Amino acid sequence: MSLPDSLLDALHAIFGDALQTGAAERLAYAYDDSRLNVLPDAVVFPTGHAQVEALVRACREHRVPLVARGRGTNTTGAAVPVNGGVVASFERMDRILRIDPANRVAVVEPGVLNGDLQAALAEHGFFWPPDPGSAAWCSVGGNLACNAAGPRTVKYGSPRENTFGLRAVAGTGEGFRCGGQTTKQATGYDLTRLLIGSEGTLALVTEATLKLTPMPGGIRTLRATYADVGAAAQAVARIMAQPVTPCALEFMDAVALQLARDHAGEVVPLAGAMLMIEVDGDEATLAMAVEAVSRAASGAGLLELRAAADPAEAQALWAARKALSPAQRAISTDKINEDVVVPVSQVPALVEAVRGLSERYALPIVTFGHAGNGNLHVNLLPRDAGERERAGACLAEVFERVIALGGTLSGEHGIGLTKRPFMPLALEPATLDLMRGIKRAFDPDGILNPGKVLP
Ligand SMILES: Cc1cc2nc3c(=O)[nH]c(=O)nc-3n(C[C@H](O)[C@H](O)[C@H](O)COP(=O)(O)OP(=O)(O)OC[C@H]3O[C@@H](n4cnc5c(N)ncnc54)[C@H](O)[C@@H]3O)c2cc1C
């Protein structure tokens, strides 16, 4: 589609030079980490809330799609403007407006990078818990829109548990605030949690009031290897059933360990499964925390349990997990990166099912991830045209198994474009209808990020 002159005039009046329609700029904002791409017709760079209101009103008047964009690192096509239209890149709304240690609150614009926020908070002795591996490159707005998370979620929660309030603009062009800045809120519907994870389909976020956590005094790292996945899963259940909640509880299956070892050598142990465990807290209490978690990690099937004596050894213990990304890239440039979730007790059944599918489809699949949440990255690694063709059917079966085990499609990456066809597998028709009703209330003309999330 090309934009009507009247809309281009309106956008020019709102944005001046911050409206771009050149081929190079359009191409640069056509893609995300899903590797899908569709050209937008224009890109704008808002610098304030009022501009975003004017932008949404102008797009609504012309029924033109409007897609919010942080830094384009999501993996599901959520930021790809599939129907063309206007991309609003929030990269120039990147100010930290206020850090308020007394109330454990930070107020930020959506374009601030997660890593930059963490660095600024550290100076005050605080952090914001969501810690995606992409922290250095992704925006808080993108984190909120995807409910993106990482290893710390097992102890500290995701953006939904770490956000007090939002300022946003609905698809009507109406600006509004929801939530607040207090630790308790019981004032009507929780629109803050609703907008978090809505992937820019309900409203554009222009400001967020985030809940901060004091930085722990210290951290300790342990690595446990097990004879098989079942033994590791039982250890996870024991660890989660005692009072010391780890701040990371990461899992790798035998295939992932072998792949990492092929890439990085003997620093990676060989085992049926491995857990990386971290505990944090006061220096004075850490030894007791390590002891409690070590006790819980020990049991039938444990091969080796090592606690790092210092940061250098901790880094060495993490070597296997860190080697996994480059190892996967080395065998496939077309990695299909999923983030399914199952109840922790079903982790062995899922790993077993994935192993069966890998054999049946003759397709390499590695399984690793956030064991404490039952949130596993099931990564399909097709190496040639035949494997790429089989990967689609295999993925559909992975999702079917996950749902049959009482799980769900995504724990942190979201739905976007790529998982949208599978939504009816995960949610009942009545639930999807309620979601469609919510979408209509926020965005009656369907201009915000069309083609995403809801089938
Ligand atoms: C190397 C790598 C590692 C990663 N590791 C992790 C990980 O550990 N955990 C994890 O959860 N994810 C991870 N991701 C995925 C990705 O980084 C996250 O989804 C991140 O939150 C996306 O942020 P972004 O700024 O790039 O947003 P984008 O990709 O630009 O956008 C994502 C979604 O947010 C919407 N959006 C952006 N800004 C706004 C706004 N202001 N208002 C409304 N909607 C908005 C977009 O429309 C889109 O739907 C990783 C990605 C890469 C490339």
Side-chain angles (χ1 to χ4, degrees):
M1 78 187 289
S2 61
L3 300 183
D5 288 344
S6 53
L7 176 58
L8 283 170
D9 290 346
L11 294 178
H12 193 257
I14 302 165
F15 290 101
D17 289 347
L19 162 68
Q20 300 282 343
T21 53
E25 287 80 9
R26 289 167 59 211
L27 185 60
Y29 292 87
Y31 68 92
D32 59 25
D33 195 47
S34 64
R35 298 183 295 272
L36 303 167
N37 68 84
V38 177
L39 285 179
D41 297 286
V43 186
V44 295
F45 301 90
T47 51
H49 176 89
Q51 266 187 340
V52 179
E53 283 191 3
L55 166 67
V56 179
R57 288 204 180 108
C59 287
R60 185 180 184 202
E61 195 181 319
H62 294 83
R63 304 287 189 273
V64 163
L66 175 56
V67 180
R69 183 185 175 91
R71 293 301 172 106
T73 66
N74 84 85
T75 58
T76 66
V80 175
V82 277
N83 296 348
V86 179
V87 163
S89 171
F90 281 92
E91 67 200 71
R92 296 186 191 171
M93 282 182 75
D94 63 348
R95 288 177 305 161
I96 298 172
L97 301 172
R98 186 158 62 89
I99 295 176
D100 176 357
N103 288 306
R104 297 189 175 187
V105 156
V107 182
V108 304
E109 291 184 330
V112 65
L113 297 186
N114 181 308
D116 290 349
L117 174 65
Q118 306 294 0
L121 295 176
E123 289 177 21
H124 298 265
F126 284 87
F127 67 103
W128 188 53
D131 59 339
S134 51
W137 317 288
C138 65
S139 70
V140 169
N143 298 164
L144 296 169
C146 297
N147 199 30
R152 283 199 295 239
T153 309
V154 65
K155 179 168 182 178
Y156 294 106
S158 69
R160 283 200 171 115
E161 288 77 42
N162 289 284
T163 307
F164 287 136
L166 297 172
R167 190 177 191 199
V169 181
T172 54
E174 204 73 44
F176 64 97
R177 289 182 187 274
C178 54
Q181 53 179 318
T182 53
T183 53
K184 291 184 83 177
Q185 300 179 23
T187 313
Y189 300 137
D190 190 346
L191 298 186
T192 307
R193 285 178 76 100
L194 177 62
L195 292 191
I196 295 174
S198 67
E199 303 185 22
T201 61
L202 301 180
L204 304 193
V205 172
T206 57
E207 189 184 293
T209 303
L210 307 175
K211 176 185 170 188
L212 306 183
T213 300
M215 287 172 79
I219 191 158
R220 293 288 181 277
T221 304
L222 298 97
R223 186 183 78 188
T225 50
Y226 296 89
D228 53 44
V229 176
Q234 279 164 15
V236 170
R238 288 194 301 271
I239 292 167
M240 295 308 290
Q242 50 85 52
V244 179
T245 304
C247 61
L249 183 46
E250 299 287 297
F251 163 86
M252 280 170 75
D253 76 351
V255 182
L257 284 171
Q258 184 65 59
L259 189 65
R261 191 176 166 102
D262 292 345
H263 190 79
E266 288 178 8
V267 286
V268 179
L270 277 184
M274 184 185 87
L275 295 180
M276 290 300 302
I277 311 161
E278 287 197 328
V279 289
D280 62 4
D282 278 347
E283 282 295 343
T285 60
L286 272 173
M288 280 185 295
V290 168
E291 201 186 305
V293 168
S294 300
R295 234 185 351 260
S298 304
L302 177 72
L303 300 178
E304 185 196 40
L305 177 66
R306 282 177 61 182
D310 53 43
E313 196 182 347
Q315 222 174 353
L317 293 185
W318 275 106
R321 178 64 184 79
K322 304 263 180 224
L324 198 51
S325 282
Q328 291 178 90
R329 259 199 307 276
I331 67 165
S332 172
T333 50
D334 294 307
K335 176 177 83 175
I336 300 175
N337 175 1
E338 294 306 336
D339 67 315
V340 296
V341 198
V342 292
V344 171
S345 60
Q346 299 287 16
V347 166
L350 177 63
V351 173
E352 193 50 43
V354 167
R355 196 174 302 161
L357 291 172
S358 173
E359 276 170 23
R360 185 145 59 80
Y361 284 92
L363 183 67
I365 309 181
V366 295
T367 309
F368 62 98
H370 317 301
N373 297 107
N375 180 199
L376 293 189
H377 293 292
V378 174
N379 284 0
L380 283 61
L381 303 170
R383 293 162 297 188
D384 56 34
E387 289 185 353
R388 272 191 291 279
E389 206 177 304
R390 293 197 294 279
C394 179
L395 183 61
E397 282 208 51
V398 170
F399 288 144
E400 277 166 26
R401 291 298 304 160
V402 164
I403 302 299
L405 291 169
T408 194
L409 299 176
S410 171
E412 55 182 25
H413 291 171
I415 299 301
L417 196 57
T418 54
K419 271 169 273 185
R420 191 174 79 127
F422 300 100
M423 285 288 269
L425 199 61
L427 300 175
E428 294 172 344
T431 312
L432 283 171
D433 276 349
L434 283 168
M435 288 189 178
R436 290 192 186 98
I438 290 168
K439 167 75 175 164
R440 276 194 298 276
F442 275 86
D443 180 23
D445 296 299
I447 59 165
L448 294 186
N449 210 0
K452 312 296 167 58
V453 185
L454 292 175

